[in-house]
Amino acid sequence: MDYLMAFIIGGLLCVIGQLVMDFTSYKITPGHILVGYITAGTLLSGLGLYQYLVDWGGAGATIPLSGFGHSLAQGVLQGVDEKGFLGVFSGGVEAAAAGITAAIVFGYFAALSFNPRS
């Protein structure tokens, strides 16, 4: 059942992004969706609402970009609790460090593995 819920929640997040790109009069690009999802995940997490989606959808809510915003917000909240005001600047990066590092490392290996077209 966990796999099904993750598939449904993750799929719905993707469908929402695609519908926004397809049915808006202003030309919304994938970059707009990326920033919008990270911002929405951060705001919903800061308000305490995104955790309900994570509890219900599991990886379907934590893997997409909105989940990255959620982890940033949770890191900031934890950093503020531990370090005070300086936690605002370091908490989000500490919470998302593993994901950021993985993206850099796998991107580097992908760049080494493939040749660009000319």
Side-chain angles (χ1 to χ4, degrees):
M1 192 63 168
D2 291 338
Y3 293 122
L4 180 63
M5 292 309 298
F7 178 77
I8 290 171
I9 296 299
L12 283 174
L13 289 171
C14 293
V15 165
I16 290 168
Q18 189 64 48
L19 290 174
V20 167
M21 286 192 302
D22 289 346
F23 294 113
T24 54
S25 59
Y26 176 72
K27 184 62 180 162
I28 301 231
T29 65
H32 292 108
I33 299 298
L34 179 139
V35 171
Y37 269 163
I38 292 174
T39 304
T42 304
L43 290 174
L44 290 173
S45 181
L47 295 172
L49 301 174
Y50 199 81
Q51 189 59 44
Y52 295 115
L53 188 61
V54 170
D55 293 341
W56 194 56
T62 57
I63 299 295
L65 292 168
S66 54
F68 179 68
H70 170 66
S71 68
L72 288 174
Q74 292 304 306
V76 168
L77 293 173
Q78 182 179 1
V80 168
D81 287 342
E82 293 174 0
K83 300 176 186 173
F85 182 71
L86 290 178
V88 171
F89 302 107
S90 63
V93 176
E94 288 177 13
I100 294 169
T101 303
I104 291 170
V105 169
F106 292 131
Y108 177 73
F109 285 129
L112 290 178
S113 301
F114 299 100
N115 292 325
R117 294 183 185 177
S118 54

